[in-house]
Amino acid sequence: MADGATDEVIRVAGLGKSYVTAAGPFPALKGVDLTIRRGEYVAVMGPSGSGKSTFMNLLGCLDTPTMGDYFLVGRNVAHLPADELARLRNRTIGFVFQGFNLLPRMSLEDNVALPLVYAHVEREPRRERARAMLSKVGLEGYALSLPARISGGQQQRVAIARALINSPSLILADEPTGNLDSHTSEEIMALFRELNDEGITVVLVTHEHDIADHAKRQVRFLDGLIVRDEPTPRREAAPC
Ligand code: ADP
Ligand code: MG
């Protein structure tokens, strides 16, 4: 922010989303207030169907609310047209998904560079930045491999490299460890922690307490509402 007016990356007020269904409107999100500041690390929790993904899709400008306001880095984006939302999304937000979402026929380098294609960056600088991001996530030397040739944990690292390539101020991750074993999950969580330590704001959805405990703040959804919002308790020493 040029005027330093806000360190709020996200502020939502009365945010709601109703889906149109055959049985009539279904309110998946019923009026949520939440502020997330620069550098925060937030876990969004709650049972299946509580509205977590609906909320993340709104935060990620992948969908628009039917009620309330969303200020993204100070700007109300609740009612922006789709093309402006897409531009803002590409510049501001990096996404990480449960299923990695890599393109199978593209090299890892090209997968990572994809957001730069949309940002009209030339081929050579694209490749350089993609390779730099791959080494940042520990995959130096894998630039020309195909996604099927690497493990799930490595694929998620590639997805994180792709999320980082536009230097986003915000990383949104929906169940990023949902398809990974616990050891690999811990490695991915260590990477998120590193990114957060570098100042990137991280918001991630999980239904696992072990994963949520890596975040500094935990927000719990139930039936489309926030029912709890607390700092993560400090870890106690592990029992012998
Ligand atoms: P969570 O991610 O916490 O499991 P979701 O946000 O995916 O929850 O879903 C919240 C509720 O909204 C659920 O009852 C789900 O069935 C419903 N829902 C989600 N997406 C749609 C949609 N596109 N159309 C109709 N109902 C939906
Ligand atoms: Mg979900």
Side-chain angles (χ1 to χ4, degrees):
M1 282 277 96
D3 59 2
T6 179
D7 68 344
E8 293 172 358
V9 177
I10 288 167
R11 181 158 63 87
V12 302
L15 195 73
K17 176 77 187 179
S18 281
Y19 293 110
V20 178
T21 72
F26 177 82
L29 216 59
K30 299 175 182 167
V32 165
D33 302 314
L34 188 73
T35 299
I36 297 176
R37 295 178 190 284
R38 192 172 305 283
E40 281 206 80
Y41 186 172
V42 181
V44 170
M45 304 200 65
S48 183
S50 58
K52 305 182 297 295
S53 292
T54 299
F55 183 63
M56 294 295 272
N57 288 341
L58 294 176
L59 293 189
C61 303
L62 297 166
D63 201 358
T64 48
T66 46
M67 188 173 92
D69 288 306
Y70 174 21
F71 298 88
L72 175 61
V73 204
R75 181 170 180 206
N76 195 346
V77 301
H79 306 292
L80 283 186
D83 57 335
E84 269 196 65
L85 271 186
R87 243 194 328 267
L88 193 67
R89 183 165 67 225
N90 203 25
R91 274 205 315 264
T92 315
I93 306 172
F95 294 93
V96 179
F97 303 95
Q98 177 172 359
F100 320 136
N101 295 17
L102 302 179
L103 296 176
R105 290 173 202 283
M106 270 193 187
S107 69
L108 301 187
E109 168 183 283
D110 287 344
N111 266 283
V112 171
L114 203 55
L116 297 180
V117 175
Y118 302 128
H120 307 295
V121 176
E122 302 278 335
R123 183 171 168 78
E124 207 40 49
R126 276 202 316 257
R127 292 184 59 192
E128 272 169 34
R129 277 166 67 182
R131 284 175 186 233
M133 282 303 141
L134 280 170
S135 45
K136 184 177 174 66
V137 300
L139 289 172
E140 207 163 3
Y142 286 80
L144 300 178
S145 302
L146 289 174
R149 303 300 294 269
I150 59 174
S151 70
Q154 287 172 324
Q155 289 186 49
Q156 194 59 302
R157 286 174 185 276
V158 175
I160 292 170
R162 179 184 57 192
L164 289 170
I165 198 146
N166 270 333
S167 308
S169 26
L170 173 65
I171 297 268
L172 296 178
D174 198 347
E175 306 260 7
T177 61
N179 284 352
L180 303 174
D181 63 66
S182 60
H183 176 73
T184 311
S185 295
E186 287 297 318
E187 289 177 358
I188 292 296
M189 295 315 291
L191 184 52
F192 279 119
R193 169 58 68 116
E194 241 174 73
L195 299 176
N196 180 246
D197 285 344
E198 291 171 14
I200 297 180
T201 309
V202 179
V203 182
L204 72 82
V205 172
T206 182
H207 54 251
E208 292 174 69
H209 287 279
D210 288 1
I211 297 297
D213 284 346
H214 286 269
K216 296 172 184 162
R217 176 181 174 192
Q218 300 185 14
V219 172
R220 186 171 179 81
F221 280 73
L222 187 66
D223 297 334
L225 288 169
I226 291 178
V227 293
R228 205 187 70 201
D229 180 359
E230 288 170 348
T232 301
R234 286 228 203 97
R235 280 184 194 224
E236 288 165 28
C240 301

